[in-house]
Amino acid sequence: MLEIVQKFAEEGYQIEPEALELINSFPGGVNQVVEQVLRRLDSSTVVVRAEDIAAFEPALRKMLFEGRGRKLSPPAGMPGSAGQSFPSGAPRVAVPGLSPSSTRVAHSEGSPALLAAEAAHAGGRGLDAARPLSGVELLCDITGRSTCVGQYSDFVGYFRDRYSKLRDLLSRRINARPIESLGQNTAGREVSLIGMVMEVRTTNKGHRVVELEDPTGMVTVLFQKDSPPFEQSLQVVTDEVLGVVGVSDGSGRVFARSLIWPDLQAQNVNLTPCQGGALLLSDLHVGSKYFLEDAWSRFLSWINGEVDDPSGLAAGVQYLVIAGDVVDGIGVYPGQEGDLAIKDIYEQYATAAQFLKEIPGRIKVVISPGNHDIVRQAEPQPSLPPEIRELFPPSFVFVGNPAWISLGGATSLVYHGRSIDDLVLKIPGLSYHEPEKAMVEMLRRRHLCPVYGSRVSIAPEVEDHYVIQKPPSILHCGHVHMVGITRYKGVTVVNSGTWQSQTDFQKKMNIQPTPAVVPYVDLATMKVRKLLFT
Ligand code: D5M
Ligand code: FE
Ligand code: ZN
């Protein structure tokens, strides 16, 4: 019993005796149950109550027995409504994000020179370094668990799960009523609602209108031009789940007074003791003419201790995580053949394996796929298939996209980041040049891909794997080929750039990559440094 209390205390939670009893009543390993409960708890929880455990009970039992762990009522005509199948084929070190321009210093013989790097973890961690965890653990991904076939009912189920998970998070912040209860008797009264955004538009007079839906009905929410939440309402995107407080007119309209995103609590302090350093990479694009082999060699020389390392960081690296686009793939975009140095995708992976084999064996390597990799394009994506994995050293860990992993106890949410394309397009003020800002929007919305059905095709799985139910210590994305680092309410937010120089296509799109720059995260302090191998 005491051990369980201690485990919760270490994660910053108190636990009620009734909840303890419930945990003990599960058949199977208590440790496993505790671990699963901790994964599912929201950081805003202070005291873990019996009802919290009860809410997780079906999932926990399933996990224990199985050995592991309109949109809400869709209108006719939406994808899948006719029952068709879902298309599944289809160092130099610089201060992170805090200083917008990092000074460049010429590197000597492949050794990354150090500049500066002080972005202390807001909450502080490593308070109990006496019991460090080690190793990589996959906490959750889609691999082997995809069930959807793209039927109408799958879409309804998917959106209901998205709604209910996000409503649960918002319910901690507002006490909402069902939309169906907004009858005549509410005219002139203040009401609170939680709904999914069906539509956003601007009226001729410049007011913003948001159509919100919950499982009981729909309502039109008006953000008047001169009202306090008007500016915020410009950031609203379709399919996200929001809270609104406003005045009902009793006939299906609400005049908004405030808008509430699920967001994170003010400060998420993760007290899990972690040690070592993690290198965050993505978008190697091996096989592309633009893959920067020389820079990669400099990186390998550094990580293998073959060059001077005044920072002393190389020796402390324990983890290396790749957030997708390991290879350039084939047929990903029109005319790609002209950009390929290796035209066979298996050869691309074999070459990538050769490059990655050079990483010292003590470093745990994790590989998650992206939109150029050889897995289904619909997300969530499973991990790379066995015939590809066997090209790599057996110690490598292959996970899906997105994936929750633990790096010696620090939770990292790894997502390739294709939704950044949609966020940049839809949210004013965001740009490819500051991908970390788009990633903060994911955290505010507690969702990796708030906009449904745009650039990213999300398979309607039973569960919405994109809801950020518990804040991770690290949110790690790639895809946009630009390094971006910031910290948001205790979460270390990193976009890990690329190893591919600017392609013709990116030139046309005015995308200026920052290749061969590797973010290094010190897991004890959550300080991030940029190592430059350019
Ligand atoms: O994506 C690399 C970068 O190129 C990323 O910023 C998105 C952008 N990109 C990729 N494909 C497209 C299309 N079709 N339109 C606009 N922008 C795009 P990567 O996935 O590595 O190719
Ligand atoms: Fe890429
Ligand atoms: Zn990509």
Side-chain angles (χ1 to χ4, degrees), residues 92-96 99 102-103 115-117 485 528-532:
R92 283 161 254 163
V93 180
V95 184
S99 73
S102 53
T103 322
L115 281 186
I485 300 166
V528 187
R529 300 172 171 205
K530 284 198 264 186
L531 313 178
L532 280 60

Side-chain angles (χ1 to χ4, degrees), residues 283 285 325 479 481:
D283 299 272
H285 290 267
D325 288 357
H479 183 59
H481 296 204

Side-chain angles (χ1 to χ4, degrees), residues 283 285 323-325 332 370-373 416-418 421 478-481:
D283 299 272
H285 290 267
D325 288 357
V332 181
N371 54 309
H372 284 251
D373 285 296
H416 181 59
R418 211 169 175 190
D421 290 335
H479 183 59
V480 297
H481 296 204

Side-chain angles (χ1 to χ4, degrees), residues 333-410:
Y333 57 88
Q336 190 190 11
E337 311 83 76
D339 291 343
L340 290 178
I342 306 172
K343 293 191 174 20
D344 177 300
I345 193 160
Y346 292 96
E347 265 180 54
Q348 292 180 1
Y349 278 108
T351 309
Q354 291 306 321
F355 291 147
L356 289 161
K357 268 180 195 158
E358 305 291 319
I359 291 163
R362 67 180 163 84
I363 297 176
K364 296 178 182 76
V365 178
V366 182
I367 297 184
S368 170
N371 54 309
H372 284 251
D373 285 296
I374 191 171
V375 287
R376 74 172 187 184
Q377 282 300 296
E379 297 183 14
Q381 297 175 300
S383 57
L384 294 175
E387 64 270 26
I388 299 295
R389 293 177 187 210
E390 68 190 19
L391 300 169
F392 293 83
S395 60
F396 280 25
V397 177
F398 292 86
V399 302
N401 170 41
W404 286 83
I405 59 174
S406 160
L407 302 175

